[in-house]
Amino acid sequence: MTRSLIIALGADHGGVTLKNRLAAVIAEAGHQVLDYGTDGPASVDYPDYAQAVCAAVAEKRADYGILVCGTGIGMSIAANRNPAIRCALVHDVTTARLTRAHNDANVLALGARIIGEEVALDILKTFLATDFEGGRHERRLAKINQITEQTP
Ligand code: RB5
């Protein structure tokens, strides 16, 4: 991890333990954490946390967002409803690297019941360390934005 970042975190009950571990590691690395919860094991609804984290990223109060639920699927679906968000559900370091390099992903979704903590930490480190490559990928992101503009 290089420059100091502001990272917004959110999780449901299925992801809260991993989210808290990621928050500690992010803070130890010298970054600022905006923790939108949840804070305990009580059952909650993941879209509420996806919405809060994505608003922070969209409004530039955070550089990146990280969302954790049981599978990461619900969080990623909810996150991508925000037109400013490019959320990637990632299970390995290769896709963590490529979604930053090619998709300029600004939100990372993780499935706490699918991947282990060590894999999640490696994904986090890779996601934060990888820059967007730009070039031909800019044109493709512009076309994604066009889909949003053309969808009623
Ligand atoms: C909660 O039981 C679970 O549905 C949630 O954590 C997530 O996996 C949804 O996609």
Side-chain angles (χ1 to χ4, degrees):
M1 300 179 207
T2 48
R3 69 194 169 92
S4 183
L5 299 166
I6 303 173
I7 300 173
L9 289 173
D12 72 358
H13 51 287
V16 61
T17 302
L18 179 58
K19 182 265 291 173
N20 290 343
R21 177 79 181 114
L22 296 175
V25 168
I26 290 166
E28 280 166 20
H31 303 301
Q32 185 183 338
V33 171
L34 302 179
D35 189 343
Y36 288 92
T38 189
D39 300 318
S43 182
V44 294
D45 298 334
Y46 59 81
D48 297 335
Y49 302 89
Q51 186 174 21
V53 166
C54 291
V57 174
E59 293 163 14
K60 303 192 186 306
R61 289 181 279 116
D63 295 295
Y64 296 116
I66 300 175
L67 295 167
V68 191
C69 66
T71 60
I73 296 171
M75 285 292 200
S76 61
I77 291 171
N80 281 312
R81 292 297 178 97
N82 183 323
I85 297 304
R86 292 174 302 281
C87 175
L89 171 57
V90 166
H91 301 99
D92 58 76
V93 293
T94 305
T95 46
R97 175 173 60 79
L98 289 172
T99 199
R100 283 288 310 122
H102 291 185
N103 313 122
D104 199 17
N106 51 11
V107 175
L108 173 66
L110 298 171
R113 295 175 182 154
I114 308 299
I115 58 170
E117 183 182 291
E118 284 299 314
V119 173
L121 292 172
D122 287 344
I123 288 170
L124 170 72
K125 194 172 173 185
T126 300
F127 186 89
L128 297 182
T130 306
D131 290 327
F132 178 49
E133 285 179 7
R136 67 191 186 282
H137 302 295
E138 293 275 13
R139 180 179 70 245
R140 293 160 187 168
L141 296 189
K143 289 191 176 186
I144 292 174
N145 289 337
Q146 280 175 19
I147 293 173
T148 305
E149 287 158 16
Q150 291 165 3
T151 303

